[in-house]
Each structure stands twice: as C-alpha cells, then as structure tokens.
Amino acid sequence: MPHFSLRQAVTFFVLFAAIFESSLASILAVDYGSDWIKASLMKPGVPFDVLLNKDSKRKIQSSVAWKKDERLFGSDAANIASRFPEDSFSSLKYLQGAPFNSDIVTYFTSISTAQIAETDRKTVALKQSDGTEWSTEELTAMQLSYIKKLAEELAGEPVNEVIVTVPPYFSQLERDSITDAIEIAGLRTLALVNDGTAVAVNYAMTRTFSSTPEYHVIYDAGASSTRATVVSFAAAEDPKTKASYTQINVLGVGHDRNTGGTELDLRLRDILIDSFMSKHRRDIRKDKRGMAKLWKEAGRVKAILSANSDATSTVESVAFDVDFKTKVTRSEFENACKDLHSRFAKPIYDALANAELSLPNISSVILTGGNSRTPMVQAAVKAAVGDDRIALNVNADESAVLGAALYGASLSRQFKTKDIRVTDVLIHDIQASYLASNPGTRTIHTAVLPAGSKHGARKTLTFKRKEDFSVVLNYPNEVMSGFPREILEAKIVGIPEAIDNLTERGAIDPVIKATVVLSESGFVSVGDAIAYGEIKDDSITGKLKGLFGGGGDQVPLETDVDEAAPKDEKMEKDKKDKAKKPLGKDQSTIPLEIEIVYNSQGPLSLVAKRAARERLRALDNMEMSKQLREEAHNTLEGYLYKLRDLLNDGPETPFTKCSQPSERQTLSNKLSETIEWLHDEGDTADTLQLWEKRSVLENLEKPIVHRYKEIESFPQALNNSQKWNWSTRLFLSQARENITADAIAGVPSKWTSQELDALEKALKEHESWLHDGVERQKKTKMNEDPAIDTQEMQQRAKTLEQHLQRLVRRKVPKFKKTPAKSGDASGSSSTEPTEAPGDRQPGHDEL
Ligand SMILES: *[C@@H]1O[C@H](CO)[C@@H](O)[C@H](O)[C@H]1NC(C)=O
Ligand SMILES: *[C@@H]1O[C@H](CO)[C@@H](O)[C@H](O)[C@H]1NC(C)=O
Ligand SMILES: *[C@@H]1O[C@H](CO)[C@@H](O)[C@H](O)[C@H]1NC(C)=O
Ligand SMILES: *[C@@H]1O[C@H](CO)[C@@H](O)[C@H](O)[C@H]1NC(C)=O
Ligand SMILES: *[C@@H]1O[C@H](CO)[C@@H](O)[C@H](O)[C@H]1NC(C)=O
C-alpha cells in the first residue's frame, strides 16, 4: 500500500520534531481512586517520587467535605463524616459519568450518607446540608485542584499538565467525566491511562526483557472494582534508529465492577448493622451519623480481620446515645462474602480468554491495589492460579501512579526515561450506525471498533451518498446498567456541494469517507470526513499526467468502496499526522465538515465547564480572603495583648523608660478603644479595617520602640565609627611619612599629598559631626528622641571607610624603567597593568 510509507515518513517527521520541542514543564500524575488518591510529580531536578500531602502522607483519602463553611480534603474530610454525614463526600469515582437513574448510583446511596440530586444533564450532583449542590465533576475537580496545589508547592511553579489513571473498563461517558473535572480544575489532560497499563509500565521500568514476549497478568484489586490485564513485555528495536526499547502490549482485560474493597466494607457494615439491631432493637439505618460511624468502623474492622481471626468493634455513642460493642470473627466475615470468592478470580480468566492465552503461558500474576492485601482476595487468586504464579513484586499502592507518571513523561518527551512503548486496547465493542442510503429507513450497524482494537486506531468507512447524513457511534452492548448506549452522532455536512463539484470535474461515482478514531486515551470520535472521487482528466495535460502517473492517483484513504466493512488504517500515534496536506492539495478530495451532536449524555459543554470553573474559583477566592481576614484578626488580637502587656509591665521596662507619660496615655486610650472595637465588630470587620486598626496603634508605638532600639545600638555604632576614625588617623600619619621617604629616595609614591589632605579633611568632618552628635546625645533623656541616628552613624563611617580603603588598596605605581637605572627593586612591576586612569595622579609623571 503506497500510503503506508508516506504515513510512516510523516510519523517519523512528527516524532523528530517533538524531540526538539523542549518546554520543560512539570507533569502531574494522579491515580484517582474511589478510596485513595495518589499523585506524583515529574519535574526536572525534583526527585521522582509520590507526592506527599501536608501531613506527609503518601496517599490521600479521596474525600471532600465541609465543616460549616470550611472546606476539607483527605482524611480531614473523611473523618468528619460522623459529625456532618451530609457534608462529607467520598467514593465519587462511582458517580463519574453515571446517569442519575443508573444502578451504580443506587449502589452509591447504599454506601454513602451523602444526599444526591439530579443535574440538568441527568447526571449526579451531591447536596450539602445547606442545600448547595455540586456536580460529581465539580467535586472531583476540587480534589484535583487540591492535588495541583500540593504539586505546585513542591515544583515551585505552576503545574498544568496531568495524566490520570482510569480503569480499563471506563466507557466514554466516564472518561468524559474525569477529563471535564480535569479542565474545571484548571489542568490540561496530557492523557488518561488505564491503570493496569500504568502498573505494567512501572513493572517494565526496572526490568529487562528478551525479544521473546513474556506474559503477565496485572491483577488490580481496588476499592470499587477488580480488574485483570494480560500484558506482554518484549525487547524490540526501532527500525529507524536501531535503538532498543521495551514494547508493552495489552492483550486482554477482565473486570468486575461490583467486587472491590468497598463491597467488603459494605458486607462488614451490614454485619455491624445486624448486630446493632438485634442487640438494641433500633433501626440504625435511619441515623445518618450512626451509619457514617459504622462505615468507618467497618473499614477499621476489615483491616484488623486481615491479620486476626476476630476483632472487637467498639463505637461510642454510635446512635441513640448507645455505646455499641460487638465481636466479629473472620469466618463470619468471610461467610458473608462467600459469593464473592469466585468473582475475585473471574477477571483473570476473562482477561486470559480475551487475550487468547491460558494460564501456562503466564509467567506471573502481579498483585496490586489496596484490596489485594485482603487474605480472602489473595486466597481466591492463589486457588485460581497457584501459589507459585503470585507475584508481590510491585508496590500495591503506588505502582499505578508511578507508572502513569513515567508514561506521561514518555508522552511529553521532555524527560530521559527508559524507552517504553505501549499499545493499549479498547475493551467495549463500538459500532457505527447509519441509515442505509436506499430506502433510507433501514439502519445499518457496523462493528467499526470491536473490543481489542488498539488505542490510536483509525478506521475509515466509505459511503455512497449524495446528501448529508449522520454516523452514530454507540455501544452494541450495555456497558453499565442504565448507561446510554449512544456515544455521539457525527453529522457530515456539505455533501451535495462536494459531490456536485467532483461530478462537474468529471469524477465517476464519488464517495464519502469518514474516519473513526480511537485516541490514545480511549476516546472514540469521527475524526475527519472527505468526499473523494477519481477524476478523469480529458485535457492534454491531464492525459500526460495520467501517463506518467501524476494524475488521479493521490493517496486515497481506501482503495475499495464498500459500504459495510470498515478498513483498518495503520495505527497512528499522532493526531497531527492525518496526511491532511497531501489530501488538501488533491483536487479530487474535498474535506467535509463534521458536527458532533450528543443526543444522550455527552461531555460537559464549554459553557458549563466555564461556569463550573468560575464557581470553583469563586470558592477558592472566598476561602482565600477568609483566610486573610482570619490572619488579620489574629494578628491584631495578638498585637493588642502584646501592647497591653507593654503598658502594664511597670516602670523598669525599656518601653516605660523610653516613653513619656502622655504617650503612654494616648496609646492606652487607643488600645482600650481598639479592644472594645474588636470585641464588638471584629467578627464582621473586613481585612482592611483590621490592618488599619493595627496600623494606628503601631504608629503610636513606633517612636518609643525607635528610642530603645537606638539606645541599644548606639554603643556598637559609636565603636564602629571610632574604629574607622582611628584607622584613618593611623594610615594618614604612616602614609605621610612614606611619601616623604619616597621623595627623598626619588621613587614614585602611591599617593599624592593632595589625596592625603582630602582624606584628612573627610576625617575631620566625620570626627566633628560625630563629636557634636555624641555631645548632644549625652544631654538627651531616654524618653526623648535620640540626637544622633545610629543608621546615619553607620552610613558616615562607611563613607569614610570606603575613602580610606581606596587609598590603602592603591598599588605601587608603574615606574618607567630607564636603562641607566639599576637596582630598582620595583622595576619588575613595569609590566603590571596600571590602574584605571582617573583613579590617581600617577607619580611617575613627576619623574
Ligand atoms: C501458550 O501455551 C500453549 C500451551 O502451552 C502453547 O501451545 C502456545 O503456543 C502458547 N502461546 C503463546 C503465545 O506463547
Ligand atoms: C470545486 O472546489 C474547488 C475548491 O474546493 C474550487 O476551486 C472549484 O472552483 C470548485 N469547482 C466547481 C465546479 O464548483
Ligand atoms: C569595640 O570593638 C572592639 C573590637 O572590635 C571590642 O574589643 C570592644 O570591646 C568594643 N567596645 C565597645 C564599647 O563595644
Ligand atoms: C609605609 O612604608 C612601610 C615600609 O615600606 C610599610 O611597611 C607600610 O605599610 C607603609 N605604610 C602604608 C600606609 O602604606
Ligand atoms: C577620633 O580618633 C582620634 C584619635 O584616636 C581621637 O582623638 C578623637 O577624639 C576621635 N574622635 C571621636 C569623635 O571619637
């Protein structure tokens, strides 16, 4: 196929250009989990590691909450659920992209004490106790923005690019939801990466592989789901550069969206509920605080049961003023989860089946994800794959985020990392649907991107159409109960004009070609559409062109015209590379416009995203000004106490000694007035007023403070002045002796007598100023303003010092050697560079 080599050439060019593009920006990687968020920053010069939160924790609880009007994140937010059950929001990942009426939302309400509401897009918002509603995307954006700030503190610069992990099964709606949140947070999506794939990158980073592929299963047991990814690792060689790299191919994925750590928490919480109800005969499910406490307790008990055969659960005042205490055994817990046992291992089998491999082909099953530590889960996996295949050789919590960061780094090409290339796959079938041209009522469905299609794939569909029409991309199978099947409708417009144009120019049977693309981040869309027809050129030049192959054989996307079967195009890494340029020049190709329409739920509109961003920004600003106000309030309060103490500390303090009774009286009056004001109006006063009140008092205090500061620094300043006074005198007497001696010996001197006179004059002025000041200061009382300013003393001493140093540093002047003179010790200095002109009157001129 001729277009392959061209495309490769273009790809190569694009890659080449990217290598030299060096905008050394930081990249943030986020592993956004239902329970925990892990983040990592890639920045040249910053050690590559997991980002710490303000408590130096390596993982951050995936929660956002309000305590009255204070917004909290991380464990602060999660912990407050027992006090403010309707204002603490966790497990938001379940809600990403979820239609309000879907089963997953019902599930969410069974684990959360938060109130849900329906947005105008028919997705989910969460409702604070004061009625404020926040969409899932806005809350997620708040968390991402919080992470962004942590990263920026570490980076010391703005961080704008982010790569976020998603489960491989995330449908387009869910991927849209997270990218919308990223944008609302003021970040740019570098990529979304499937979490199993990120772990594979992390795994490959420190290992070497042979050219024979090695197969592993990444078994990721998370909070919200369990998934298995079959991956091959192999060494490969770049055909162009001959450099070796590691190729990672995702071959198959299996998943269970309802089997995860959260489900175990739920089962355990239900044990606690049953126990409470049988003991206390009250329905704790009606008490939100009680339910929030039990939810937290379930997590704690689960952790204890991971290492012990039983656990005692104690919750003080859980609900109805009851102190709850019960014992849970591991076997009781495991019994309640019996049905899950087989489900834990199933994703592995599914992944293998999708990869068309079997267990013996697998070198190891790499366990990762927080829930992989649960004995029940490990036992299920061991039973399924055998003890010897289990590998615990990646960090269960951090491998995904670190892998994502490395993957992001390789995409941005700013970092020298091991060359790892990844091919990921789509796991849901995607079909294209459109009305048949004739009779135009029958809908044709084409499996355009079946499950297993590679990320980056492009498929071209060819249509015989004369009128505008639409291609709808949709899931033939339900991806989640209650989720819409339709992804988007691509309206291809301008067809009649284009066909007319081609026909008029002699094209025979022109067709429409539409390209369906699967991006590296797993999004599908209709990338471009063209009208195409081969033109028979009857002119002489046309015939000649035809003869020499220069005519109508411009790179067609497809050679055969077949309405139903999509054709694979070569996988493309770069969006820019669409061979647009050669097509643009091609007279027989006319690009068509595509309008993307979302008939069911789509991504947030630009307007909605902007509005959400403004809302979050307003909240940030409000919090910021509140914080500043609080600071101003506290500073003023602290200052008032300090002043009060100063005024009350008795006659022996420097403050009293250096102030006059009238000054203290004024200050005291103003102080009482301000204390009263702070008491009455301090809570409503704004930041500026608070600063002003302090400033008034400070101005009254300032002269007093100045006095004792001056008294304190006076001896030192005087000593310093005297030191230079003394040094200058000493220098002058020596220097005068020396120039006299020089004159007698007939050798040049370093200084002229005028220079020494000038120095002496400066010294005398200094001395007389100092003397005068010191005398006046002696007569000044402590509570009067000082007669001489120590700062000026320092300044004048400095001036004198500089004058002196200039002369001291003077080198012996050049002495023009006359051949007759011998025994001239300084003769060798004749080659030394002279000083800058003007700095001295050279002595040798006098010779
Ligand atoms: C997988 O294992 C089977 C049986 O051991 C073998 O026939 C097959 O070639 C293996 N497949 C690969 C891709 O290694
Ligand atoms: C066809 O389109 C080209 C540009 O797209 C234009 O230059 C040309 O005039 C058109 N021809 C006809 C017959 O409309
Ligand atoms: C002045 O400085 C010298 C050394 O720089 C020190 O020995 C002397 O005690 C100082 N005198 C006063 C009054 O500070
Ligand atoms: C004066 O000359 C003597 C002897 O050469 C020397 O030690 C001294 O440093 C000179 N004094 C100055 C101020 O240069
Ligand atoms: C400056 O130093 C000289 C010599 O040590 C001394 O006589 C004079 O009193 C000093 N002047 C002052 C103002 O300290």
Side-chain angles (χ1 to χ4, degrees):
M1 293 230 224
H3 68 274
F4 269 22
S5 57
L6 173 77
R7 284 181 174 279
Q8 270 164 0
V10 174
T11 306
F12 183 63
F13 172 73
V14 169
L15 295 183
F16 212 69
I19 290 164
F20 293 101
E21 223 173 34
S22 60
S23 55
L24 289 162
S26 315
I27 294 171
L28 177 62
V30 176
D31 180 17
Y32 185 86
S34 164
D35 276 1
W36 300 97
I37 300 172
K38 278 83 72 177
S40 177
L41 178 76
M42 288 286 276
K43 177 182 152 73
V46 171
F48 175 51
D49 196 8
V50 165
L51 197 66
L52 306 182
N53 77 352
K54 58 178 173 24
D55 306 322
S56 300
K57 294 269 163 52
R58 299 176 72 83
K59 52 183 193 175
I60 298 161
Q61 259 184 294
S62 191
S63 305
V64 49
W66 277 265
K67 178 184 170 186
K68 310 235 165 65
D69 58 353
E70 185 188 358
R71 189 166 47 149
L72 304 171
F73 292 98
S75 53
D76 293 343
N79 291 339
I80 210 148
S82 51
R83 280 173 62 201
F84 304 101
E86 290 186 358
D87 290 304
S88 176
F89 306 115
S90 300
S91 303
L92 297 170
K93 194 171 181 175
Y94 282 106
L95 303 177
Q96 280 171 351
F100 187 74
N101 290 318
S102 57
D103 291 358
I104 195 82
V105 178
T106 313
Y107 184 77
F108 175 83
T109 57
S110 74
I111 59 166
S112 173
T113 46
Q115 288 258 59
I116 57 167
E118 188 171 3
T119 67
D120 48 14
R121 306 165 60 222
K122 310 215 179 309
T123 57
V124 184
L126 291 141
K127 198 166 167 178
Q128 278 181 251
S129 56
D130 68 2
T132 313
E133 288 179 18
W134 299 101
S135 69
T136 304
E137 287 76 19
E138 285 172 326
L139 290 170
T140 309
M142 288 180 199
Q143 297 180 305
L144 292 172
S145 166
Y146 169 74
I147 304 285
K148 178 181 188 308
K149 277 179 207 138
L150 289 178
E152 285 174 344
E153 272 163 36
L154 177 65
E157 65 177 16
V159 173
N160 298 316
E161 301 237 284
V162 68
I163 175 163
V164 180
T165 63
V166 289
Y169 54 72
F170 253 25
S171 63
Q172 184 119 337
L173 286 178
E174 293 156 294
R175 285 171 199 260
D176 280 335
S177 177
I178 187 84
T179 25
D180 288 343
I182 290 168
E183 278 181 50
I184 295 170
L187 286 157
R188 197 182 79 80
T189 312
L190 182 64
L192 300 183
V193 59
N194 291 338
D195 39 25
T197 311
V199 173
V201 172
N202 177 251
Y203 182 82
M205 210 61 211
T206 53
R207 290 172 175 83
T208 49
F209 304 94
S210 73
S211 54
T212 314
E214 227 176 79
Y215 303 99
H216 296 264
V217 176
I218 313 282
Y219 181 80
D220 191 347
S224 62
S225 69
T226 303
R227 53 261 181 202
T229 308
V230 177
V231 180
S232 73
F233 298 92
E237 192 189 82
D238 190 298
K240 292 269 182 330
T241 63
K242 303 289 173 215
S244 63
Y245 63 92
T246 302
Q247 178 66 46
I248 299 177
N249 291 329
V250 174
L251 303 173
V253 174
H255 69 277
D256 186 330
R257 291 185 79 148
N258 299 309
T259 307
T262 304
E263 179 62 24
L264 298 184
D265 291 345
L266 180 68
R267 306 272 173 118
L268 199 40
R269 186 201 61 188
D270 289 349
I271 293 176
L272 298 179
I273 290 176
D274 288 348
S275 164
F276 182 92
M277 304 235 276
S278 67
K279 275 199 176 111
H280 303 287
R281 311 248 156 240
R282 308 272 307 256
D283 191 354
I284 192 168
R285 285 172 303 197
K286 296 208 168 78
D287 186 295
K288 285 196 176 233
R289 281 204 182 87
M291 288 297 277
K293 284 179 189 165
L294 284 191
W295 183 254
K296 192 177 170 199
E297 179 66 1
R300 198 184 67 88
V301 170
K302 184 179 78 172
I304 296 173
L305 291 180
S306 282
N308 301 278
S309 57
D310 54 60
T312 306
S313 165
T314 345
V315 189
E316 267 178 44
S317 181
V318 61
F320 322 114
D321 282 331
V322 170
D323 290 340
F324 175 60
K325 187 169 178 180
T326 193
K327 199 171 129 185
V328 185
T329 64
R330 190 197 277 186
S331 59
E332 189 184 351
F333 174 43
E334 293 192 346
N335 216 31
C337 302
K338 221 184 219 158
D339 59 309
L340 297 177
H341 206 261
S342 63
R343 283 166 57 183
F344 283 126
K346 192 168 177 293
I348 299 178
Y349 296 123
D350 292 347
L352 286 171
N354 288 333
E356 294 175 356
L357 289 171
S358 53
L359 263 184
N361 299 109
I362 300 300
S363 304
S364 79
V365 175
I366 299 161
L367 300 195
T368 184
N371 204 34
S372 68
R373 296 192 198 90
T374 309
M376 201 188 313
V377 176
Q378 284 198 3
V381 177
K382 277 180 187 164
V385 305
D387 262 21
D388 52 335
R389 262 203 195 76
I390 301 285
L392 297 166
N393 47 11
V394 300
N395 182 316
D397 287 324
E398 299 175 358
S399 56
V401 73
L402 295 176
L406 293 165
Y407 179 67
S410 73
L411 287 181
S412 84
R413 297 174 185 282
Q414 305 168 31
F415 301 91
K416 283 204 183 84
T417 54
K418 187 174 168 184
D419 190 357
I420 296 178
R421 302 182 192 180
V422 180
T423 304
D424 210 334
V425 295
L426 178 74
I427 77 158
H428 304 293
D429 287 331
I430 287 175
Q431 69 181 9
S433 305
Y434 40 86
L435 290 177
S437 52
N438 196 12
T441 46
R442 186 171 55 98
T443 301
I444 298 173
H445 303 288
T446 299
V448 62
L449 289 166
S453 295
K454 289 171 180 167
H455 282 192
R458 306 166 61 84
K459 295 275 184 87
T460 298
L461 298 169
T462 304
F463 305 91
K464 288 177 191 161
R465 298 297 161 104
K466 301 212 161 14
E467 299 301 325
D468 290 352
F469 72 107
S470 283
V471 175
V472 172
L473 296 181
N474 57 89
Y475 295 106
N477 310 305
E478 191 175 63
V479 290
M480 275 288 271
S481 166
F483 276 51
R485 303 260 182 107
E486 183 176 320
I487 301 169
L488 56 87
E489 177 185 345
K491 287 185 179 166
I492 302 173
V493 295
I495 294 176
E497 297 80 0
I499 295 288
D500 284 354
N501 183 308
L502 289 174
T503 313
E504 272 175 45
R505 283 156 53 205
I508 296 159
D509 292 338
V511 293
I512 305 301
K513 289 169 180 288
T515 306
V516 178
V517 294
L518 172 60
S519 80
E520 292 296 343
S521 297
F523 290 95
V524 291
S525 191
V526 177
D528 52 275
I530 54 162
Y532 167 77
E534 226 170 289
I535 294 171
K536 280 251 164 59
D537 190 345
D538 284 332
S539 68
I540 303 285
T541 44
K543 279 184 178 148
L544 282 174
K545 262 203 228 158
L547 265 178
F548 296 106
D553 61 351
Q554 332 64 15
V555 207
L557 284 176
E558 280 311 314
T559 40
D560 28 77
V561 177
D562 180 341
E563 177 132 344
K567 297 287 171 181
D568 269 298
E569 270 188 61
K570 201 182 136 28
M571 203 184 82
E572 304 290 350
K573 284 272 172 204
D574 211 298
K575 273 188 188 163
K576 279 182 249 172
D577 171 30
K578 281 198 261 178
K580 266 232 162 99
K581 270 183 191 150
L583 289 177
K585 279 184 208 147
D586 176 11
Q587 291 303 297
S588 61
T589 297
I590 297 177
L592 297 168
E593 222 171 279
I594 301 170
E595 285 170 16
I596 303 286
V597 182
Y598 301 97
N599 299 311
S600 47
Q601 184 186 321
L604 277 169
S605 69
L606 205 60
V607 174
K609 273 186 286 201
R610 230 174 252 153
R613 200 161 162 182
E614 282 312 309
R615 239 186 133 194
L616 262 59
R617 209 176 271 158
L619 186 66
D620 284 344
N621 290 344
M622 205 184 77
E623 285 176 358
M624 174 67 79
S625 55
K626 203 177 125 219
Q627 196 186 329
L628 287 177
R629 209 202 73 87
E630 262 162 31
E631 250 173 52
H633 186 278
N634 294 344
T635 318
L636 174 61
E637 199 171 37
Y639 181 64
L640 295 180
Y641 290 140
K642 190 200 88 174
L643 262 190
R644 197 185 56 190
D645 289 349
L646 280 177
L647 284 164
N648 293 342
D649 272 354
E652 290 312 312
T653 61
F655 180 83
T656 312
K657 282 183 182 163
C658 294
S659 55
Q660 302 190 6
S662 63
E663 288 173 324
R664 290 198 295 276
Q665 192 54 54
T666 312
L667 202 48
S668 175
N669 291 347
K670 198 77 204 165
L671 176 65
S672 316
E673 185 192 312
T674 313
I675 289 176
E676 202 171 312
W677 175 85
L678 188 69
H679 190 261
D680 293 344
E681 288 166 55
D683 287 344
T684 52
D686 65 25
T687 311
L688 200 64
Q689 284 174 300
L690 291 161
W691 286 117
E692 271 169 10
K693 291 285 174 194
R694 200 179 94 187
S695 161
V696 168
L697 285 164
E698 270 177 345
N699 285 338
L700 291 173
E701 190 202 4
K702 212 179 268 167
I704 304 167
V705 174
H706 179 67
R707 281 172 213 151
Y708 60 78
K709 288 241 165 90
E710 282 294 289
I711 290 170
E712 259 173 21
S713 41
F714 182 74
Q716 184 60 43
L718 183 61
N719 193 354
N720 180 56
S721 289
Q722 278 171 345
K723 185 172 91 191
W724 291 111
N725 167 7
W726 183 80
S727 312
T728 310
R729 276 226 176 276
L730 185 69
F731 169 81
L732 278 170
S733 70
Q734 277 193 16
R736 287 205 197 281
E737 275 172 28
N738 286 15
I739 64 167
T740 313
D742 290 342
I744 292 165
V747 294
S749 285
K750 288 192 198 172
W751 315 281
T752 63
S753 51
Q754 292 95 311
E755 285 176 315
L756 299 182
D757 291 346
L759 179 62
E760 184 153 20
K761 185 164 170 267
L763 171 67
K764 283 195 168 140
E765 272 168 22
H766 178 246
E767 276 179 1
S768 104
W769 177 82
L770 191 61
H771 179 79
D772 181 48
V774 169
E775 287 309 308
R776 280 191 292 121
Q777 181 62 17
K778 277 182 194 158
K779 297 186 195 105
T780 307
K781 292 200 187 95
M782 275 177 96
N783 63 4
E784 288 168 356
D785 289 340
I788 186 164
D789 185 59
T790 54
Q791 227 170 336
E792 193 181 352
M793 283 165 80
Q794 300 281 13
Q795 190 49 50
R796 283 179 179 256
K798 186 94 202 153
T799 311
L800 180 63
E801 178 195 346
Q802 280 163 349
H803 195 158
L804 172 64
Q805 294 290 10
R806 213 159 48 229
L807 298 183
V808 169
R809 283 201 207 99
R810 177 72 54 77
K811 290 201 179 75
V812 178
K814 190 165 75 173
F815 181 43
K816 234 176 227 146
K817 199 156 67 173
T818 43
K821 278 216 165 138
S822 62
D824 174 29
S826 67
S828 62
S829 71
S830 60
T831 51
E832 274 177 26
T834 55
E835 281 181 76
D839 199 43
R840 67 185 176 113
Q841 290 97 358
H844 67 260
D845 287 345
E846 293 158 17
L847 290 171

